[in-house]
Structure formats: C-alpha cells, structure tokens
C-alpha cells in the first residue's frame, strides 16, 4: 500500500509534455525579448510585466526548468529564473518544444478593434517583404469571443488569427513580437510557392 505522499509523487505533473504551455512560452519569449542582457529575471518583474498569477508563473518557470531551458533560484524571499548567456544556443534547444501560437484562423467582416498586426503583414513591417493587400490581425481567445458570430465568414473579410495567449503581452510597435511571429509562420509555405 502506497502512502499518500508516495502516491502523489507518482502523479504526472502537467508540464511533463512535449510542448511548452502557453504561459511557459510567454515567459520564455518575454525573457528573451525584453531582458536581453539579463541572465536572471525575477518573478516579481515577470509578474508585473505579464499580470500573471503566482501559481501560473511558478508552473511556467518549473516547466522551463523541466525542459532545461532555464534554472530556478531563490535569494531570501526573492525567486528568479536564470537563462544561459548564449541565447542562440538556447533558442536552438527550445525550438523543439515551442509551437505556433495560432489556435485557429478566421475571416472577419466587422471592425477589428484591439487586434495586433500579425502574419505576413507584421513580417512586412520589419523586413523588405512587400506588404499584402489585406492586413492580418492576432487576437487572444478571450478577444475572439467578443467577435460577432454573424460577421465571421469563410472567404471574405480580414484574416484574424486566434492565439493561445494574448499577443498584447509581447507586442512590439502595434504588431506581434518577432519570436511569436516566427513560430506562427514556421512551416507555412503557402504564400512562398
């Protein structure tokens, strides 16, 4: 007979999976994008920047540690997450457990309020790529729930990407961040052929 502690220890933790959870991916991207020179980022800074609850932040950081992308530390009551100095090596290690932020793509004929420029439209803003005729937008699942159902069409309207996490958490200059943009475009060859 197992004691409750032994039985609990055998339960698979939620972060023992192939891909990072949305919150872990956001914490990882936030550290890479906005804490470039810092090896360590405090939980307090991440909590403030992301408006994340302690339980989700702790779980996300544990998940990053499990995937060997970060190490966790504590000094007194202050907790922090540390990332290796070599960010290019870190990115190559992380790519296998990162996934596209896009849950679903739809077309919307109504007015787009609150969406961030995404897809090839965002790529055109930061590169020499010619801008598309129509601008694509990214919204969170919560924002997508506010879209009028009758204005979601199959073939007409602006492209709207519904994301696993709120793209505004990592937004840069009115567009989605470059790391999430890369993940959303990775493997999409339709416009390049």
């Amino acid at each position: 007979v197992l004691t409750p502690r032994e039985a609990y220890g055998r339960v698979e933790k939620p972060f023992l999976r192939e891909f990072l959870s949305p919150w872990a991916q956001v914490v990882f991207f936030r550290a890479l994008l906005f804490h470039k020179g810092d090896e360590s980022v405090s939980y307090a800074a991440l909590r403030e920047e992301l408006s994340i609850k302690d339980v989700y932040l702790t779980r996300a950081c544990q998940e990053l540690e499990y995937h060997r992308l970060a190490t966790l530390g504590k000094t007194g009551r202050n907790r922090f997450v540390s990332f290796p100095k070599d960010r290019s090596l870190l990115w190559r290690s992380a790519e296998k457990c990162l996934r596209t932020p896009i849950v679903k793509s739809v077309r919307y004929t109504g007015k787009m309020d609150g969406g961030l420029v995404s897809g090839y439209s965002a790529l055109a803003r930061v590169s020499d790529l010619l801008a598309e005729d129509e601008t694509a937008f990214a919204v969170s699942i919560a924002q997508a729930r506010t879209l009028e159902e009758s204005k979601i069409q199959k073939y007409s309207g602006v492209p709207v990407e519904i994301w696993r996490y709120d793209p505004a958490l990592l937004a840069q200059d009115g567009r989605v961040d470059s790391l999430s943009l890369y993940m959303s475009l990775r493997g999409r060859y339709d416009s390049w052929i």
Side-chain angles (χ1 to χ4, degrees):
V1 175
L2 294 175
T3 65
R5 181 175 216 119
E6 291 171 332
Y8 179 76
R10 293 178 186 225
V11 173
E12 186 175 310
K13 295 192 177 186
F15 52 80
L16 302 181
R17 58 180 92 122
E18 185 179 354
F19 295 108
L20 291 178
S21 67
W23 271 120
Q25 192 159 315
V26 167
V27 168
F28 182 67
F29 286 172
R30 183 79 193 185
L32 290 181
L33 290 166
F34 299 101
H35 299 275
K36 293 180 182 175
D38 306 338
E39 283 184 55
S40 298
V41 183
S42 72
Y43 277 38
L46 289 169
R47 192 179 317 106
E48 185 179 323
E49 293 167 2
L50 299 172
S51 299
I52 184 175
K53 292 183 180 178
D54 279 333
V55 67
Y56 297 125
L57 178 59
T58 300
R59 191 175 296 152
C61 291
Q62 288 173 344
E63 200 174 329
L64 292 171
E65 183 180 51
Y66 171 79
H67 285 281
R68 297 189 175 131
L69 301 175
T71 54
L72 306 182
K74 189 174 184 179
T75 305
R77 297 179 68 187
N78 300 322
R79 295 184 296 166
F80 56 89
V81 58
S82 299
F83 296 93
K85 277 187 177 182
D86 187 351
R87 296 297 169 98
S88 61
L89 180 61
L90 176 63
W91 178 258
R92 287 194 300 275
S93 300
E95 267 193 298
K96 67 184 181 301
C97 58
L98 297 173
R99 64 179 164 175
T100 180
I102 301 171
V103 175
K104 184 179 181 180
S105 294
V106 297
R107 289 195 164 266
Y108 189 66
T109 57
K111 185 178 178 192
M112 269 311 301
D113 293 326
L116 293 169
V117 176
S118 67
Y120 294 116
S121 306
L123 184 59
R125 288 189 176 189
V126 295
S127 69
D128 291 334
L129 184 68
L130 185 61
E132 293 183 318
D133 293 337
E134 56 188 9
T135 302
F137 294 95
V139 297
S140 67
I141 293 172
Q143 289 171 303
R145 289 185 185 121
T146 65
L147 298 177
E148 292 180 50
E149 189 71 35
S150 63
K151 294 185 178 181
I152 296 174
Q153 303 294 320
K154 193 167 188 172
Y155 300 109
S156 63
V158 296
V160 177
E161 299 170 350
I162 302 169
W163 281 29
R164 297 177 198 286
Y165 50 85
D166 186 356
L169 294 171
L170 303 169
Q172 297 174 318
D173 302 321
R175 62 173 174 78
V176 299
D177 69 282
S178 53
L179 299 178
S180 297
L181 176 62
Y182 170 77
M183 293 308 301
S184 70
L185 294 175
R186 185 173 74 169
R188 282 172 67 184
Y189 303 108
D190 52 337
S191 295
W192 294 98
I193 297 176

